[in-house]
Amino acid sequence: MKNFSVLKNESGFTLVQAVFILVVLAVLGVAMMRLSGIQSSTSIFALQGARAYQAARSGLDWGASRASIGSCSTGSSFAIGGFSISVDCSSQSFNEGSGPYDVYTIKSTATFGSYGSPDYVSRRLEMKVGFP
C-alpha cells in the first residue's frame, strides 16, 4: 500500500498557485487595457492638436487678407468646425528707400473646449506681413 499521508498535508497548494496565476493575469489584463486606452486618447489628442493648428493657420490667412486691403482690426473672431478663432492685428508704418510701407503683425489663436476640461486644445500662431 501507498502512503497517502504525504498527499493529505499538501492539499490546497495547487489552489494557491491557481489563485496567484489568476491574480497576475488579471493585473496584466488591466494594465493592457489601460495602455490601449492611453494609446487611443494620445492619437485623438494629436489629431485635435493638428486641427487646432490648421484652424489657427486659417485665422492668419484671414488676417493677412484683411491686412492686404487695409482693414486689419484687433479682436476679430469667428468659428470653424467647433474651434473658436480670435485674430488680433496691429500695424507699424515705416519709411525707407522706396517709400512708406506698413508691416502688420497678425496673431491667431484657435481653441476647442473650455480650459481645464479633458478635451481642451489651443494653438497660437503669429506672423508679420508687409505691404507697400
Side-chain angles (χ1 to χ4, degrees):
M1 270 201 151
K2 293 184 178 181
N3 187 358
F4 290 106
S5 64
V6 174
L7 294 177
K8 286 184 180 179
N9 292 338
E10 293 181 8
S11 64
F13 184 72
T14 306
L15 180 63
V16 172
Q17 285 179 336
V19 169
F20 177 75
I21 289 173
L22 285 175
V23 168
V24 168
L25 289 176
V27 168
L28 286 174
V30 169
M32 289 176 64
M33 288 180 60
R34 290 195 72 203
L35 183 62
S36 174
I38 290 171
Q39 184 179 11
S40 174
S41 64
T42 300
S43 63
I44 291 170
F45 291 144
L47 181 61
Q48 277 297 88
R51 288 178 179 164
Y53 173 81
Q54 294 300 330
R57 184 81 193 253
S58 70
L60 288 180
D61 292 342
W62 182 83
S65 70
R66 300 296 292 173
S68 70
I69 60 174
S71 66
C72 190
S73 61
T74 60
S76 301
S77 62
F78 56 96
I80 294 176
F83 287 91
S84 174
I85 303 162
S86 88
V87 179
D88 292 323
C89 185
S90 61
S91 66
Q92 286 182 309
S93 295
F94 295 95
N95 195 2
E96 290 189 8
S98 63
Y101 65 95
D102 293 327
V103 174
Y104 293 91
T105 303
I106 303 165
K107 298 175 185 175
S108 174
T109 306
T111 58
F112 183 87
S114 59
Y115 185 75
S117 68
D119 62 345
Y120 176 77
V121 65
S122 176
R123 294 292 184 268
R124 182 178 178 163
L125 301 175
E126 180 178 337
M127 78 173 184
K128 292 185 180 189
V129 293
F131 298 105

